């Protein structure tokens, strides 16, 4: 079976060498030498400053909300609102709700699949604290427009960059936009550390606050300065991250071959995500948009018959999940705004991500391409 993704396994010998250094140094976690080395190397590779490694991409979001002061702290009962996209992985919105905030979904642009900045402004209320857009499938959001909205309305902007590892925009890292950007280093992502994540802060003081928060708020032997949590990256995670980073060029080259083969064969046959001009490609995902959900189900089934496991990323559109919605009492409130979601629901019903990972050969995807191109021709 050719699956939608496959975790990247680096050279065993390289990993063993890092593990040897862990055993020699007898340091397993808490800002160890490999975590420090990975921090430096990622800052250089990504072209960013103020990067903080954490234990996963969901905690990266939660810590970013807390460090920037938008998360609800115990004792405050009215939910702060945060404007975000319904077309994303669940963690973007569940992390907000988990932190006591109310995600307010505004619609996406049906071509780029990212938040439509034109729809954000009308959803802003006195309770709005932040905007959390997603560079979905590594496609850059309209960062100029969104950063300007944040500035004009005094809202924090936190980009969920879980898909945007290494993406540049107009020559600089895409991840240097907003008050913070987060990354996920989960095993299934383009770059991984088994589990892991990072936050890239605009300001050094936010990084320092977050560094304290991920270690229980502890600042010294008998000093616990504020409410914190445990979100530290350990040395084995960092070792894996270092090995995967050592081999990142080959990983990207291998993915690029398959990505371009899909693009060349499928462009004009199915709808593809419109890429933001000025943004680089990281070959993380290859989504296709079919004419209808019934067509999607048919294509998916035929792919599966031929040994391809495509996945419906992202479905469902998150505004449909009642546990993310407002409490009934708040819904009675007349200044509660519930933006209309049309495009995200529609796209979620007919989008499919095709198999794409390092090591997948172009020759292996030809069968999938044939099924998609010939989708109107019923199986005999
Ligand atoms: C993977 C992902 C996350 C969560 O990251 P984890 O490391 O799995 O916790 C958050 N947002 C998006 C968009 C993701 O794809």
């Amino acid at each position: 079976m050719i699956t939608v993704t496959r975790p990247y396994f680096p050279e065993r010998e390289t990993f063993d060498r890092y593990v040897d250094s862990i055993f020699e140094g007898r340091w397993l976690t808490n800002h160890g030498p490999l975590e420090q080395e990975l921090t430096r190397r990622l800052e250089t590779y990504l072209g960013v400053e103020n990067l903080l490694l954490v234990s996963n991409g969901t905690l990266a979001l939660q810590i970013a909300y807390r460090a920037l002061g938008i998360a609800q702290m115990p004792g405050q009962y009215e939910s702060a609102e945060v404007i975000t996209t319904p077309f994303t992985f669940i963690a973007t919105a569940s992390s907000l709700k988990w932190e006591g905030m109310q995600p307010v979904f505004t619609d996406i642009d049906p071509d780029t699949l990212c938040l439509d900045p034109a729809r954000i402004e009308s959803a802003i209320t006195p309770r709005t604290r932040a905007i959390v857009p997603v560079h979905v499938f590594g496609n850059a959001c309209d960062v100029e427009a969104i950063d300007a909205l944040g500035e004009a309305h005094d809202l924090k902007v936190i980009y969920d960059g879980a898909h945007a590892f290494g993406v540049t925009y107009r020559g600089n890292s895409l991840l240097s936009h907003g008050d913070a950007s987060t990354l996920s280093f989960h095993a299934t992502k383009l770059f991984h550390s088994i589990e892991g994540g990072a936050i890239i802060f605009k300001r050094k003081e936010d990084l320092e606050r977050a560094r304290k928060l991920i270690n229980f708020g502890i600042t010294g032997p008998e000093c616990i300065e504020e409410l914190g949590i445990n979100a530290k990256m350990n040395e084995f995670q960092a070792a894996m991250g270092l090995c995967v980073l050592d081999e990142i060029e080959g990983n990207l080259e291998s993915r690029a071959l398959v990505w371009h083969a899909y693009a060349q064969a499928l462009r004009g046959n199915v709808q593809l995500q419109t890429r933001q001009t000025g943004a680089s490609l990281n070959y993380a995902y290859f989504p296709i948009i079919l004419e209808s959900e019934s067509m999607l189900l048919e294509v998916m089934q035929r792919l599966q018959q031929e040994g391809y496991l495509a996945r419906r990323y992202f479905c469902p559109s998150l505004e449909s999940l009642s546990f993310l919605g407002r409490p009934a009492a708040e819904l009675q409130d007349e200044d509660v705004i519930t933006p209309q979601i049309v495009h995200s629901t529609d796209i979620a019903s007919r989008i499919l991500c095709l198999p794409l990972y390092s090591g997948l050969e172009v020759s292996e995807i030809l069968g999938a391409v044939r099924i998609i191109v010939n989708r109107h021709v019923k199986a005999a």
Side-chain angles (χ1 to χ4, degrees), residues 216-361:
F216 314 99
I218 293 173
T219 52
E222 283 91 38
C223 188
I224 309 157
E225 249 181 48
E226 63 174 310
L227 181 66
I229 192 79
N230 180 4
K232 302 183 301 289
M233 176 177 278
N234 71 50
E235 290 294 279
F236 280 83
Q237 289 175 291
M240 180 60 89
L242 285 163
C243 300
V244 176
L245 192 57
D246 286 339
E247 298 172 20
I248 193 79
E249 295 307 330
N251 180 345
L252 287 169
E253 276 165 30
S254 177
R255 287 167 170 275
L257 291 176
V258 174
W259 196 98
H260 286 294
Y262 276 138
Q264 201 178 4
L266 297 177
R267 192 167 285 132
N269 284 296
V270 283
Q271 186 189 334
L272 303 180
Q273 182 183 32
T274 304
R275 309 289 306 189
Q276 180 78 260
T277 48
S280 69
L281 286 163
N282 70 353
Y283 313 109
Y285 301 88
F286 201 92
I288 59 170
I289 302 163
L290 283 306
E291 289 83 350
S292 63
E293 186 166 30
S294 56
M295 176 69 73
L296 172 136
L297 293 172
E298 194 181 310
V299 166
M300 243 180 114
Q301 193 189 3
R302 295 203 45 203
L303 285 171
Q304 194 159 352
Q305 285 162 358
E306 300 291 322
Y308 298 101
L309 214 61
R311 288 289 298 271
R312 298 184 69 176
Y313 294 144
F314 290 99
C315 186
S317 182
L318 299 182
E319 84 286 352
S320 66
L321 299 177
S322 58
F323 59 83
L324 294 176
R326 291 176 187 275
E330 261 181 42
L331 281 171
Q332 312 294 319
D333 198 336
E334 33 190 69
D335 38 82
V336 158
I337 296 169
T338 313
Q340 279 288 304
I341 307 295
V342 177
H343 298 307
S344 177
T345 314
D346 172 42
I347 296 289
S349 73
R350 53 196 180 92
I351 193 164
L352 197 60
C353 275
L354 301 181
L356 178 57
Y357 48 82
S358 174
L360 181 63
E361 300 285 338

Side-chain angles (χ1 to χ4, degrees), residues 130-291:
I131 310 171
V132 178
V134 179
H135 302 302
V136 74
F137 305 132
N139 196 21
C141 294
D142 186 344
V143 286
E144 281 99 359
I146 295 171
D147 287 353
L149 274 171
E151 194 107 342
H153 296 271
D154 196 23
L155 304 174
K156 300 288 186 189
V157 179
I158 298 133
Y159 289 99
D160 181 343
H163 302 171
F165 186 84
V167 175
T168 60
Y169 178 65
R170 301 197 166 162
N172 295 313
S173 172
L174 177 62
L175 304 166
S176 55
H177 283 270
D179 296 282
S181 293
T182 63
L183 286 166
S184 163
F185 303 154
H186 184 258
T188 54
K189 301 287 190 334
L190 164 64
F191 169 82
H192 78 89
S193 58
I194 310 171
E195 292 267 3
I199 315 165
I200 294 142
F201 288 102
K202 173 171 279 172
R203 287 169 295 269
K204 184 108 192 144
E205 61 263 33
D206 295 331
L207 167 83
E208 294 308 333
R209 171 134 196 251
R211 196 192 296 289
K212 192 165 59 178
L213 295 183
I214 67 169
N215 190 31
F216 314 99
I218 293 173
T219 52
E222 283 91 38
C223 188
I224 309 157
E225 249 181 48
E226 63 174 310
L227 181 66
I229 192 79
N230 180 4
K232 302 183 301 289
M233 176 177 278
N234 71 50
E235 290 294 279
F236 280 83
Q237 289 175 291
M240 180 60 89
L242 285 163
C243 300
V244 176
L245 192 57
D246 286 339
E247 298 172 20
I248 193 79
E249 295 307 330
N251 180 345
L252 287 169
E253 276 165 30
S254 177
R255 287 167 170 275
L257 291 176
V258 174
W259 196 98
H260 286 294
Y262 276 138
Q264 201 178 4
L266 297 177
R267 192 167 285 132
N269 284 296
V270 283
Q271 186 189 334
L272 303 180
Q273 182 183 32
T274 304
R275 309 289 306 189
Q276 180 78 260
T277 48
S280 69
L281 286 163
N282 70 353
Y283 313 109
Y285 301 88
F286 201 92
I288 59 170
I289 302 163
L290 283 306
E291 289 83 350

Side-chain angles (χ1 to χ4, degrees), residues 11-26:
E11 287 295 328
R12 181 66 187 268
E13 293 73 34
T14 327
F15 187 67
D16 286 347
R17 253 182 279 130
Y18 284 111
V19 171
D20 287 345
S21 83
I22 297 174
F23 275 76
E24 280 154 27
R26 323 237 25 109

